Amino acid sequence: MRKYQVEAKPFTFDFGLEKTALIIIDMQRDFCEFGGFGEALGNDITPTKSIIPTVRTILDAARDKGMFVIHTREGHRPDMSDVPAAKKRRSSAIGEEGPMGRILIRGEYGHDIVDELKPLENEVVIDKPGKGAFYQTDLHAILQNKRIESLIVCGVTTHVCVHTTIREANDRGYECLMIEDGTAAFDERDQEAAIRMINQQGGIFGWTTTSDKLIKELKK
Ligand code: TIU
């Protein structure tokens, strides 16, 4: 099996295509469009919206290679029985009516993935109630069944759901490559810090690189 080698920090990230999944975290209208959860929390969603074309380029390259693709969505049951009181207390917009339907509720327009990144039939969609994609989901089982060892990670927001997921994956033995310009935080300082926190200390949580470096290697 060919080894792909992507120039990354803190050193080259190598992976085999069949043992790698692209995981796109929470590219939902609730985080990338106006009137959703991201805005309800008091953020300017311009940075999350602006990475959609870059994530699409990465997704297209992964699809071309036949890479296993996973999409995640943060959200809750319509009856909100799976929302911890502690979460609702600090994110009170959850379940409230917004211009895209009830905020962060499964089945609502705002909860779904943006049109540009709509999952294909053969791609996995993980609905998660928390920030991490492993918590209360079957993601780990799916990755084990598919013999996946490495994850290429994109999506939003870098310091919240992307970071939590990478930390969870790292503890479960997966090697993670985070795509710097394929992720976004609402505040540039959080973006910079989140990237540094992954690749510091010899790659304490994993590796980081840019979309052009990944795509160059995939297209070689
Ligand atoms: N608030 C924030 O930055 N993010 C989240 O609440 N969820 C995700 O990151 N998906």
Side-chain angles (χ1 to χ4, degrees):
M1 188 167 65
R2 180 188 153 187
K3 271 277 175 211
Y4 288 77
Q5 297 193 309
V6 183
E7 190 188 328
K9 288 180 189 162
F11 55 89
T12 303
F13 180 80
D14 51 31
F15 66 95
L17 204 58
E18 279 103 76
K19 293 185 180 297
T20 304
L22 172 68
I23 181 162
I24 302 177
I25 305 292
D26 301 0
M27 289 299 287
Q28 299 160 254
R29 297 188 186 98
D30 257 323
F31 293 103
C32 304
E33 302 289 349
F34 301 105
F37 183 53
E39 254 193 359
L41 291 170
N43 303 296
D44 171 10
I45 56 99
T46 311
T48 53
K49 193 177 181 58
S50 71
I51 64 161
I52 294 172
T54 304
V55 178
R56 178 58 194 261
T57 308
I58 296 162
L59 179 58
D60 285 345
R63 283 173 173 166
D64 278 353
K65 282 286 171 186
M67 194 184 286
F68 187 50
V69 176
I70 299 169
H71 306 256
T72 72
R73 300 185 295 200
E74 179 180 351
H76 294 281
R77 293 167 180 262
D79 67 5
M80 295 179 59
S81 56
D82 61 347
V83 187
K87 183 176 185 180
K88 173 73 177 158
R89 184 170 167 223
R90 284 168 291 116
S91 294
S92 58
I94 297 172
E96 301 303 313
E97 279 295 341
M100 295 188 290
R102 291 178 68 206
I103 287 176
L104 227 61
I105 298 295
R106 292 179 192 158
E108 300 288 336
Y109 182 73
H111 171 265
D112 210 354
I113 292 165
V114 297
D115 290 334
E116 296 90 329
L117 305 172
K118 192 178 162 61
L120 298 179
E121 284 277 308
N122 64 339
E123 295 171 352
V124 169
V125 178
I126 301 281
D127 277 316
K128 61 188 184 68
K131 305 305 182 193
F134 288 85
Y135 176 68
Q136 298 285 359
T137 74
D138 52 8
L139 176 59
H140 187 51
I142 291 169
L143 295 174
Q144 293 290 292
N145 292 340
K146 290 277 183 187
R147 306 274 189 268
I148 297 293
E149 296 174 358
S150 305
L151 299 175
I152 295 172
V153 190
C154 297
V156 297
T157 60
T158 319
H159 58 311
V160 181
C161 292
V162 171
H163 236 269
T164 307
T165 299
I166 289 176
R167 288 169 185 236
E168 288 180 324
N170 180 61
D171 278 346
R172 286 166 177 77
Y174 300 101
E175 296 199 314
C176 298
L177 175 66
M178 185 266 232
I179 311 302
E180 297 175 15
D181 54 335
T183 58
F186 298 118
D187 186 315
E188 186 54 36
R189 292 169 301 180
D190 294 329
Q191 178 72 9
E192 281 174 23
I195 292 168
R196 195 173 59 247
M197 278 191 270
I198 289 168
N199 65 36
Q200 65 169 237
Q201 301 180 64
I204 199 75
F205 293 124
W207 288 256
T208 72
T209 192
T210 49
S211 58
D212 58 333
K213 293 195 173 97
L214 171 67
I215 288 163
K216 191 177 93 186
E217 181 63 12
L218 281 175
K219 291 194 169 164
K220 242 188 206 168

